[in-house]
Amino acid sequence: MKVRPFTSRGYVISIIVGLVVWAVVAAVAVGVGGRLWAWGSAVQVRNVLALRLEWVMTASVVGSGLALAGLAFQALLRNPLAEPYILGVSGGAGLAFILGSLWVSIAWSPVFGFLGALATVAIVYAISQRRGRLEPYTLLLTGVIINAFYAAAIMLVTALAKPEQRGDIALWMMGNIGAFGPQWTLVVVVGALAVGVAALFAMLAKGFNLVAVGEDTAGALGVDVGRLRIVTFVAASLVTGASVALAGPIGFVGLICPHLLRMVLGPDHRRLVPAALFFGATFLVLADLAACLWEGATNRALPVGVLTAMCGGPFFIYLLRTRWRRSAQLQ
Amino acid sequence: MRTRARSWAAAAILAALAALAPGCGDGAPSAPPAGGDGRPLRILSLTPNVTEILFAMGLGDKVVARSTYCSYPPEVQALPAVGDTLQLNLQEVIRLEPTVAFLITRRDEVPRRLQGLGVRAVPLQSDRMGQMVQSIRTIGRETGREAAADALIQRIGADLDAVARRLQGLPRARVLFAFPMTVGSSRIMVAGRGTFVDELLSVAGAENAYPETADWPTVGPQQVVALAPEVVIINATGDDAPPDRIQVIRRAWDGLPAVPAVASGRVHVLTESYLTIPGPRVGLAARRLAETIHPDMPPEGPARTEGGP
């Protein structure tokens, strides 16, 4: 494998390139999605601009958070199919968020989302590891089962909830860049989290690279694999829980984005971490723009989570048929 | 003497309605209707019963947008639909530039969001008959049509009164009001005490067979047998209204012969959607319920009744 040298200059360049690409796409999404040229009065333009800006920023921070979490899970679990949604982490965050918002307080439910995500990671990890080593098959199956369990639990909560709350829950579970909600504050919090986690992962990137080669090798080269794991899992859970609190469980962004980036940039996490921050944002902004154009054309809202899952399912199968075999042979 | 208590309740509702409508307005538009800030009035109605109230008050031509579920009177279907309080197409709302929005929701994000777009959001309530009347007054105040509001309240009171008068001296029947069971489930949603439909039942000469104060509780077949209603009214609307669905509903009820209403053939499937809409047609709903529950009630007198089908 050809490893190109990577310096701090490399970081600066990739951050600038990522920022420019995201900013251009976001500006196009604000303009095209809002059909800014079609309005009669300045007040209308201002209102639409404010709305579109809010939704594009929501999509950006959620996309960033999920892409970074997916990248970290794939690196640390040495599994190309790991992703917050597939591992059940999003589901755990979702269940805890719903429980928190129904029976405690809507203001504290993001905290519940984080705790749900963290607990799920701990459960999945505890079940699928054997003497500190992760079984790739067991890991995915555990995720499948945890997801099924959470789905049942969410159905139970829905059945017990008041009829007028059921619509809310069902809609939220589809994953929405919502029309309502406590938006800007949470957008800022999730955005700060995503940037913070990206900075943390950038510092850990070398460790990710070594773990990808092999945990024993990484250990032999001085990486404290246990600590790396804990720090990464907590950070990834935090950003997943926050993203889910903001937009519901949006699936497969954490799967699609890191893989597309690897195809272009190669396996070096020092490149992948800043790229995931911006590309995750760009990707979900584009998905939200597609959902917005659909709504404009049909007057029927399309939850963006449904769209990403529709694209993510086939992509997962593609990965299963290609990458999975290769990595399974490596084990 | 529970029955007596219930007829007192019906009398109390009518009295409350009468008290809320001081003086009979002529219903004609008073001044050129305008929003509070001088802009021409443009109304967004996000709830079916509010849309009906607006049209009954003669404000139909001021309504510029409706919710997806508003379908009566028929001319509202020509208006653009902007979703509902769960999913609202805000860009469409901006395009239509309403000045005031009437809505019923427990989510305060919705009025907050509309206010942010410069739309005066007026939250209303209509879980009880009294709240509905209050909502009509609020709409009258917000649109400068107090006289039309008073007239509508008066008319509703008169409609309900006419039904109650025809029922004088008749015994009150124990009635269970339910929605059809969903496919694959034997549980049904019934009107609890204290709901708007419960109030309608008491006007229509019935006592709610469901004994507790509850907001549309769900009950199973065993509980229905235990409640032992003399009459069952199933409100099958929308997807449940076609004849084959009604057949299925009837067959399911025939399987409960232990229920007095089933044994005496007094299970009635009504397809009118207005029975549960707290709007201008409540008098019509009360009459429909009364004539179903008391087929022997005296025919309609010369008193005027209004409302569409």
Side-chain angles (χ1 to χ4, degrees):
Chain A
M1 199 191 316
K2 192 178 76 181
V3 177
R4 282 169 289 181
F6 197 81
T7 56
S8 56
R9 203 169 129 244
Y11 268 118
V12 173
I13 289 173
S14 52
I15 287 172
I16 290 173
V17 170
L19 201 59
V20 167
V21 170
W22 166 75
V24 168
V25 171
V28 168
V30 169
V32 174
R35 292 187 300 274
L36 287 183
W37 57 88
W39 298 96
S41 76
V43 178
Q44 285 180 325
V45 172
R46 204 188 57 212
N47 280 334
V48 172
L49 205 59
L51 277 182
R52 286 297 305 160
L53 208 57
E54 185 177 317
W55 293 336
V56 163
M57 286 313 290
T58 307
S60 298
V61 298
V62 170
S64 285
L66 293 175
L68 285 165
L71 182 69
F73 282 132
Q74 283 154 26
L76 263 267
L77 299 171
R78 303 180 63 215
N79 190 323
L81 300 180
E83 196 257 346
Y85 191 73
I86 292 165
L87 290 179
V89 180
S90 298
L95 176 63
F97 180 91
I98 290 173
L99 288 174
S101 66
L102 285 186
W103 284 298
V104 186
S105 127
I106 188 89
W108 284 97
S109 33
V111 178
F112 280 86
F114 161 63
L115 292 177
L118 194 60
T120 309
V121 174
I123 294 168
V124 170
Y125 184 76
I127 294 175
S128 46
Q129 63 101 25
R130 198 173 294 166
R131 278 182 246 107
R133 297 188 75 84
L134 282 167
E135 300 273 333
Y137 285 107
T138 324
L139 183 73
L140 282 187
L141 283 177
T142 310
V144 169
I145 295 306
I146 293 261
N147 258 330
F149 177 82
Y150 284 149
I154 288 169
M155 273 191 260
L156 176 69
V157 173
T158 312
L160 295 178
K162 291 181 198 142
E164 69 264 23
Q165 291 172 328
R166 285 182 196 151
D168 282 12
I169 298 177
L171 188 65
W172 187 80
M173 281 306 296
M174 293 175 200
N176 258 294
I177 306 296
F180 309 112
Q183 296 283 318
W184 272 117
T185 334
L186 207 51
V187 171
V188 170
V189 170
V190 180
L193 272 176
V195 172
V197 166
L200 176 71
F201 286 173
M203 288 191 282
L204 302 175
K206 251 185 188 160
F208 290 167
N209 285 346
L210 293 173
V211 169
V213 176
E215 287 183 7
D216 296 340
T217 321
L221 289 170
V223 177
D224 185 345
V225 178
R227 220 189 82 196
L228 181 67
R229 236 182 227 154
I230 290 174
V231 171
T232 310
F233 285 165
V234 170
S237 304
L238 189 61
V239 76
T240 304
S243 301
V244 170
L246 187 52
I250 292 179
F252 294 96
V253 176
L255 186 76
I256 297 173
C257 292
H259 279 289
L260 290 181
L261 288 174
R262 268 191 214 103
M263 286 175 194
V264 177
L265 298 175
D268 188 346
H269 285 87
R270 290 173 301 178
R271 279 195 181 83
L272 289 173
V273 169
L277 176 72
F278 294 110
F279 185 65
T282 310
F283 178 82
L284 202 55
V285 166
L286 284 173
D288 179 56
L289 176 62
C292 176
L293 292 177
W294 165 281
E295 186 180 359
T298 63
N299 203 18
R300 288 272 180 284
L302 173 69
V304 71
V306 173
L307 195 68
T308 60
M310 290 275 197
C311 306
F315 192 75
F316 182 92
I317 292 168
Y318 161 75
L319 289 176
L320 192 69
R321 302 292 298 176
T322 57
R323 307 255 155 157
W324 171 263
R325 272 210 207 124
R326 232 177 294 156
S327 78
Q329 281 159 6
L330 286 175
Q331 299 290 325
Chain B
M1 284 281 92
R2 209 169 176 179
T3 316
R4 210 177 167 83
R6 294 301 286 174
S7 29
W8 275 110
I13 294 166
L14 295 174
L17 282 172
L20 279 160
C24 181
D26 56 2
S30 37
D37 51 4
R39 286 185 292 174
L41 185 63
R42 294 173 66 82
I43 303 174
L44 162 62
S45 171
L46 282 174
T47 319
N49 67 330
V50 173
T51 303
E52 277 191 45
I53 291 169
L54 290 166
F55 275 79
M57 285 170 63
L59 286 161
D61 57 335
K62 305 294 172 203
V63 181
V64 295
R66 60 172 175 108
S67 84
T68 314
Y69 306 115
C70 298
S71 59
Y72 189 88
E75 54 260 42
V76 305
Q77 280 161 22
L79 292 170
V82 293
D84 54 52
T85 53
L86 217 52
Q87 272 201 319
L88 192 56
N89 188 339
L90 289 172
Q91 282 179 215
E92 193 66 3
V93 171
I94 294 173
R95 189 178 71 79
L96 294 164
E97 293 189 301
T99 53
V100 61
F102 295 110
L103 66 164
I104 296 176
T105 176
R106 53 176 189 85
R107 297 157 55 110
D108 31 329
E109 310 95 88
V110 186
R112 212 188 308 137
R113 180 62 101 176
L114 287 168
Q115 296 276 20
L117 296 176
V119 184
R120 181 171 164 72
V122 183
L124 302 170
Q125 285 180 309
S126 63
D127 291 341
R128 313 261 180 287
M129 205 84 83
Q131 289 176 337
M132 176 192 76
V133 169
Q134 204 51 55
S135 294
I136 296 174
R137 304 186 138 279
T138 307
I139 292 170
R141 205 176 51 240
E142 292 288 337
T143 57
R145 299 273 183 114
E146 282 95 341
D150 285 344
L152 178 60
I153 295 168
Q154 197 109 69
R155 202 205 82 198
I156 290 172
D159 285 354
L160 292 172
D161 208 30
V163 175
R165 241 179 297 125
R166 287 168 65 195
L167 290 164
Q168 265 165 11
L170 289 175
R172 302 183 81 76
R174 282 169 43 79
V175 177
L176 190 68
F177 186 98
F179 285 119
M181 52 282 276
T182 49
V183 178
S185 162
S186 58
R187 298 178 69 78
I188 52 169
M189 243 165 74
V190 302
R193 291 259 163 119
T195 55
F196 149 78
V197 170
D198 176 65
E199 291 177 295
L200 265 189
L201 285 177
S202 68
V203 174
E207 187 195 353
N208 193 344
Y210 190 85
E212 285 154 45
T213 304
D215 193 27
W216 294 100
T218 313
V219 299
Q222 281 184 5
Q223 225 176 329
V224 174
V225 172
L227 291 172
E230 293 165 347
V231 178
V232 171
I233 291 174
I234 321 277
N235 193 200
T237 62
D239 291 344
D240 290 319
D244 54 329
R245 270 296 290 157
I246 292 176
Q247 280 297 314
V248 174
I249 294 163
R250 287 200 171 282
R251 226 175 295 136
W253 279 89
D254 287 343
L256 293 172
V259 177
V262 178
S264 58
R266 296 181 76 188
V267 175
H268 303 280
V269 182
L270 304 184
T271 53
E272 292 88 347
S273 63
Y274 61 75
L275 294 179
T276 55
I277 298 179
R281 289 183 288 170
V282 289
L284 193 65
R287 196 179 77 191
R288 183 80 175 97
L289 289 173
E291 285 170 353
T292 307
I293 296 163
H294 299 283
D296 52 341
M297 74 191 274
E300 215 170 320
R304 150 200 95 116
T305 35
E306 269 183 41

